[in-house]
Amino acid sequence: MEIIRSIEELERLHGPLFLAIGVFDGVHRGHQAVISTSASHARSSNGTPLVVTFDPHPVKVLRPNDAPHLLTATEHKIALIRDLGVDHLLVINFDKKFAATAPEKFVEQLVAHSKPLREICVGHEWSFGKDRRGNLDLLKELGAQFHFHVVGIPPVKVNGAVVSSTAIRQAVEKGDFATAAVMLGREYTILGTVKAGEKLGKKLGYPTANLSAHSEQFPPNGVYLAEAWIQGVLYHGVVNLGYRPTVSSGRSERVLEIYLLDFNREIYGENVEVRFVRYLRPERKFDSLEALVRQIEADVRQARDLCAP
């Protein structure tokens, strides 16, 4: 997949261009409908489909105190979009200067650098431009003016509920992975980069990989059986998510760490994608490190039993 970082680079792409535009946090079924519809229209017209998204999430810039926990930060989102078979992706840097762009000006820039622009496909409630003044109606007016089609994708529902990033966040926060998976069209995962920790796990005989999570929406604290993908290879492990009260009393930041079964190599700096398979127990404080180790041993035995064929 080719990733471009400026609207001007659209000129390099063979037209006509069909743009699927959105924030696409989570790349859920609704987002997939926007992207697949645009790609289908491009194929039927011998055009080039292009996904357009923004980094960081606009609310992170406009209202940082109200910004949602992301389902997929940009690196994870790019990987998921790539998995959909997308060939071209434009990632626009969203800063305060870009946020002040009038919606008409934004569309004019897309038109000016596309050779030509044939269609824009968005979700039915998408808003854009300064003060979020742009909407589907304005986009259709501009389409008529600049001679491109506009497609608004209606809400996607599963089991009678509208699919949305907000609904998925709420499901993950409650540990309802089944609902999240149905809305996402895949299992919910967290992508993180392994960082150096205190190496206490290694001293206790259970070395863990501490993950700096790119995604920000965590499920409830506790211990989980998990699957982990490292460089495309699947491993099983035990995840501890929480504040580690036995060894880090008073800690305010949640820690995501995983002990990988039958794994013995350094992976600092590597990305790990984690899926929470089964909740094993709540996080708790133990009276001693010895008691903690005994519980970890029990957690690992349970994980191995659950993984056994």
Side-chain angles (χ1 to χ4, degrees):
M1 180 174 71
E2 179 186 17
I3 301 174
I4 60 178
R5 300 281 179 174
S6 70
I7 293 176
E8 290 76 13
E9 290 180 84
L10 295 178
E11 296 184 4
R12 296 193 290 101
L13 301 181
H14 177 73
L17 298 186
F18 290 70
L19 310 185
I21 307 179
V23 176
F24 301 137
D25 180 32
V27 196
H28 58 55
R29 287 187 184 274
H31 301 147
Q32 293 168 31
V34 174
I35 293 170
S36 63
T37 299
S38 178
S40 175
H41 290 180
R43 285 194 299 270
S44 64
S45 299
N46 197 29
T48 299
L50 173 80
V51 175
V52 182
T53 193
F54 308 92
D55 175 38
H57 192 297
V59 182
K60 294 278 188 183
V61 175
L62 299 173
R63 300 189 304 279
N65 293 332
D66 299 325
H69 290 153
L70 297 181
L71 297 170
T72 50
T74 299
E75 185 174 355
H76 196 186
K77 179 168 63 174
I78 289 173
L80 292 169
I81 290 174
R82 179 185 292 113
D83 288 345
L84 295 177
V86 171
D87 291 329
H88 304 283
L89 174 66
L90 167 60
V91 181
I92 296 175
N93 178 43
F94 194 98
D95 54 19
K96 290 187 177 180
K97 179 180 178 181
F98 181 78
T101 304
E104 295 88 350
K105 181 65 174 178
F106 173 59
V107 172
E108 288 172 9
Q109 291 173 345
L110 294 175
V111 171
H113 295 287
S114 300
K115 305 298 182 183
L117 176 59
R118 179 66 54 81
E119 181 180 283
I120 292 179
C121 185
V122 296
H124 71 291
E125 291 185 334
W126 188 60
S127 59
F128 65 102
K130 184 179 180 181
D131 300 324
R132 300 182 67 188
R133 190 166 51 81
N135 54 27
L136 189 58
D137 289 337
L138 178 60
L139 201 54
K140 289 179 177 179
E141 292 177 14
L142 295 170
Q145 178 181 346
F146 292 109
H147 310 294
F148 63 84
H149 301 298
V150 174
V151 178
I153 301 298
V156 173
K157 294 184 178 182
V158 292
N159 300 328
V162 174
V163 173
S164 71
S165 298
T166 298
I168 296 168
R169 289 187 196 103
Q170 292 171 346
V172 172
E173 189 172 30
K174 293 186 296 185
D176 183 0
F177 297 115
T179 295
V182 169
M183 289 193 171
L184 286 167
R186 66 177 187 282
E187 299 290 345
Y188 181 70
T189 60
I190 284 180
L191 182 68
T193 302
V194 179
K195 63 178 182 178
E198 300 169 4
K199 299 186 178 180
L200 178 61
K202 187 173 184 179
K203 295 175 184 176
L204 298 178
Y206 292 93
T208 59
N210 292 272
L211 300 184
S212 175
H214 301 177
S215 309
E216 299 174 338
Q217 183 58 67
F218 285 158
N221 288 351
V223 177
Y224 295 81
L225 168 65
E227 293 179 340
W229 285 265
I230 304 171
Q231 296 183 350
V233 179
L234 172 63
Y235 300 91
H236 289 91
V238 177
V239 158
N240 185 83
L241 172 62
Y243 300 104
R244 304 198 303 177
T246 305
V247 297
S248 303
S249 179
R251 193 183 190 108
S252 60
E253 180 184 356
R254 298 168 83 184
V255 175
L256 175 63
E257 56 185 345
I258 182 169
Y259 170 71
L260 297 166
L261 305 181
D262 306 314
F263 187 88
N264 184 27
R265 68 178 178 87
E266 297 290 352
I267 52 173
Y268 291 125
E270 293 192 35
N271 284 342
V272 179
E273 187 172 9
V274 174
R275 179 171 86 87
F276 300 86
V277 177
R278 181 167 170 173
Y279 182 80
L280 300 181
R281 64 172 177 85
E283 185 181 44
R284 53 177 286 226
K285 184 174 183 178
F286 294 90
D287 295 332
S288 65
L289 288 180
E290 291 76 12
L292 173 60
V293 170
R294 287 195 297 271
Q295 183 60 62
I296 294 173
E297 291 172 348
D299 295 336
V300 170
R301 282 197 302 271
Q302 185 179 5
R304 288 191 185 280
D305 290 343
L306 292 170
C307 294

